[in-house]
Amino acid sequence: MALRRPPGSGKRRSTDSGVEPDRGALSREKKEQRVALFLSDFDQQAKENIQEMKKELDSLLQTAEKAFTVELLKMPVAIRKMKRKDLL
């Protein structure tokens, strides 16, 4: 059987972390400036990502259009000139 310590014989833990609450704290203005800077940087990165995605989308659309044109050219002229409604 394990030995138990009598109550009160162990080390007591303090609820105080030992760190002063004002230590390293920034003023409210500096915090607001940092948040504003972070948000503006985030917005800029988001805009750049959106622009990059738009370029990729345009590239994919061009590729699809070229593939469609090639497939159309493989078909006989009579089918190519036919209306899609009639073809289906």
Side-chain angles (χ1 to χ4, degrees), residues 9-39:
S9 65
K11 292 183 180 179
R12 290 188 171 208
R13 293 186 181 192
S14 171
T15 57
D16 184 18
S17 66
V19 178
E20 296 175 20
D22 293 334
R23 183 178 173 199
L26 297 174
S27 69
R28 185 177 187 105
E29 290 176 4
K30 285 189 177 185
K31 282 183 183 179
E32 289 174 359
Q33 287 176 349
R34 292 182 82 181
V35 169
L37 182 62
F38 173 78
L39 290 175

Side-chain angles (χ1 to χ4, degrees), residues 30-68:
K30 285 189 177 185
K31 282 183 183 179
E32 289 174 359
Q33 287 176 349
R34 292 182 82 181
V35 169
L37 182 62
F38 173 78
L39 290 175
S40 65
D41 183 52
F42 183 84
D43 288 341
Q44 182 64 32
Q45 288 181 7
K47 287 177 185 177
E48 290 173 2
N49 287 338
I50 289 171
Q51 289 297 326
E52 186 177 326
M53 287 188 281
K54 284 181 180 179
K55 287 179 184 177
E56 289 177 18
L57 178 62
D58 289 341
S59 174
L60 287 172
L61 287 173
Q62 287 177 356
T63 302
E65 287 175 1
K66 287 178 184 176
F68 181 73

Side-chain angles (χ1 to χ4, degrees), residues 67-80:
F68 181 73
T69 303
V70 168
E71 291 300 319
L72 276 179
L73 290 173
K74 290 181 183 177
M75 293 181 181
V77 177
I79 295 177
R80 230 185 297 164

